Amino acid sequence: MNAKNTIIGALLLLFLLCNSWCHADSIDKPDRGLYFQAHTVIPEKRTSLNLTPDVPLSFRGGFSLDFDVHLRSEQHNYGYIVRVILNDTLNIDLLSNKGWSHSQLFLMRGNQRLVDLPHLDSIPDFGQSDWLRVSLMLDYKKQLVICTLNGAEWNIPVELPRLDDVRITFGLNARKPYLSTDVAPMNLRNVRILDLKSNLLKSWNLLQHGEGVVYDEMEQSRAVVLNGIWEIDRHIRWKKLASFSVPGTKPQFASYQRSADGGLFVALEDTIYQYSIANRQLEKIPVKAGHPYFTAASSLVYDSVRNELISYSAEQERLNRYDFSRNEWERGIPDILLSYLHHSSCFIPERQELVVFGGYGFYRYSAVLFKHAVDSENWERKDFSQSIEPRYLSGLGYYGDGKVLVLGGYGSKSGRQEEIPENYYDLHLIDIDKMTSRKLWTFSNENLETFGNAMVMDRDGKHFYALSFENDRALSSVRLNRFGVDNPERVLLADSIPYHFHDTESYCTLFYNGGTSELVATLAYQDGTGNTCVELYTLGYPALRLSDVLQTLPESSSMKDFWIVILLIAAGLGGVLFAGWNFVKRKKNTVEEMHEDMDEAPIPVQETEVSAAKAIRSSIKLLGGFQVINAEGQDITSRFTLILRNLFLYMMLYSYKNENGVTSEQLNEIFWADMDKGSATNNRNVNMSKLRLLLKEIGGVSVSYKNSYWYMIMEPSVCCDYIEICDLLKKVKENKVVNLAALNRIAELGCRGELMPDITEEWMDKFKSEYLILLSDVLLSIYEYPEVKNDLLLLLKLSETMLSCDSTDESGIRYKCYALYHLGKKGLAKQCYENFCEEYVRVLGTKPEINYTDITGH
């Protein structure tokens, strides 16, 4: 017994130590909280936060629910803040109706009204802050409910049942019979559950989060979020603020910042468009006299000191100013063929100076810096081609103390376009007073990227933000970068923005709007019809990485569960060994006979049959979106956090493409590039352990590590639509034989859509393009086969497959319209063709070469 007690005591101590090791502190970041969508959306799109999605909570004597809530004012304000359900027999509800003439906040017990506040102003300190601190205490022993609002307390004697089964839901409630779609327009943060002695039991600060889930910081209890909008996501996801078109192909752009507003000016020959971020409105201002330098490149800045627009040309000495009070330009000058296309520029208000660098024109790149004081009559210029390679598509920003920074670009050492132009990934510091330059650093980059017109200095003065995009493709994407001034510590922030890059026919810049504390990206491109499309995107400042927002607490939970499992196994083994020792001592012969009987039992066969039956139901869908069905036939997609999903896909796709898989260095570089090697390795190992647990649940999928490579093994019993369609496409391509059954299956799978459309990471682009090329090659080769062309339904399905992956594929629309026309659906065929033409112009900026008569022959 002494030995037994010693073992139990040791195990208990080890458990307590593991529990303390696994605890993680919360991280304080800006804009915490969950935004609840209410009556402005349809009921099924409204927000819910369920603190008890799996099992109810149980409290012996009572508990306290604390939280901060901000009640927004909308057209319809009535709704539930929180509903507490006790033993599935009684509900305690807190509701609000802000702005109503009575009952703006009330607490209910079933149909009994416990607290009724006609005006929120009666709550202490409510006028000083929009956030209301709420505490609801349920005391079973005293049969008491205590409601506290910003310190003001209401004690209400009520009849309460035992608190053995407590369920808590904020906002939308889908649990019958307590279903309610009335959601209060609110923001929520700092949700906590405490016992009656104010000991903290659970805490959700609603800052970092997963996809549809958030974990408390005490025990990593899972809460489920439906249709929520996370405030912190403003710092990782670009939001399209505005999209509009202006006539012409040579508009001039200038961001502006005033004390009460920021936005964008777009200057045309006789009109100025102003988009105000504060008012979310586009205003058209007619110009009474004069016009700007009407160049082929954007050559416009805003002087916030004098409240003037300044139009310039490096080939004209005088600046051209626009006076808003008179709606007039100083001068009216003929059009100029600017030889500094895609140059970089910045205006320095405190110095009243305009700085322009680089550009392209007449097949030459430039490294000339131009400086023009507002009151000066001419430019100061210096050619830096001896120290800075001539280039365009660079970023420029004011560093302070008479110095500017020039980032990257595309050009050549000689400046001539025909002499091997290349991308540059360097940073130069230029003293615009002394006209000297110094190279600060360069970084290596496997991708072909250039940078937006302007940069934004970080508040710390040691870093800056810059937009980058691939300049080797038309359908590009913009990413936000944060660099160090003294060293090239590049950090990719937030998600990406689609960008139609057409060299000198497109435009990309970045500015900071102080009124909303946001970074604003301005993108523009010609639409092929004589107009220019302008798009504005905003991102909360400071910008964050995706990893800053993803909640890491489940890692602690996984480690905790791992140690608990180990402890339970150890305890079980200890018990088995102890019992076995006594059993062997007394009945050795009986045990031996038992082992013989066990060896003959057909248990392995039964387990194999069960596993096979389960594995058949496992499926992984990648076409059109990500979905995973486990061995029990259950959808476990939501269990894959963003990092686990991407890690899983990266390893699976590379293992399918290359049997060796990927190295640890590759994984660290893709997923944890912002961490040191030790932290990256630790994060990789933790997430790999979590992934393995999910793969076990899928069944038939496993991760192995061999010869310094990670690779994924997938048994034939697991269905993956992407792998299946690729295998079929390869067989059709290699055999060059028309198999109608295989083609029908390809059409069935391919119509689901493109490969993982919601993933915009660069590593996925390669797999997307390879899949699209393989699909295009096969379909183009079989379209003309008589067996296919005579089967109009099959032809229709195959063409729709192609168009679902590439909406501008001309062969796809040709055969779709052909099939529809000869199936007798002539009106639908014509409508599909017209929709295709509109999409083609929108994406590629030009009209398709095929016409409807060529397709149908009529």
Side-chain angles (χ1 to χ4, degrees), residues 222-240:
R222 187 173 75 107
V224 172
V225 179
L226 178 67
N227 301 323
I229 298 176
W230 296 94
E231 293 292 348
I232 196 173
D233 284 2
R234 294 196 315 109
H235 299 261
I236 62 166
R237 303 200 188 283
W238 289 99
K239 178 183 178 182
K240 181 179 280 191

Side-chain angles (χ1 to χ4, degrees), residues 109-126:
R109 174 197 176 275
N111 294 323
Q112 176 189 1
R113 190 163 295 204
L114 305 179
V115 175
D116 190 343
L117 289 181
H119 300 289
L120 296 178
D121 294 342
S122 61
I123 300 173
D125 301 323
F126 183 75

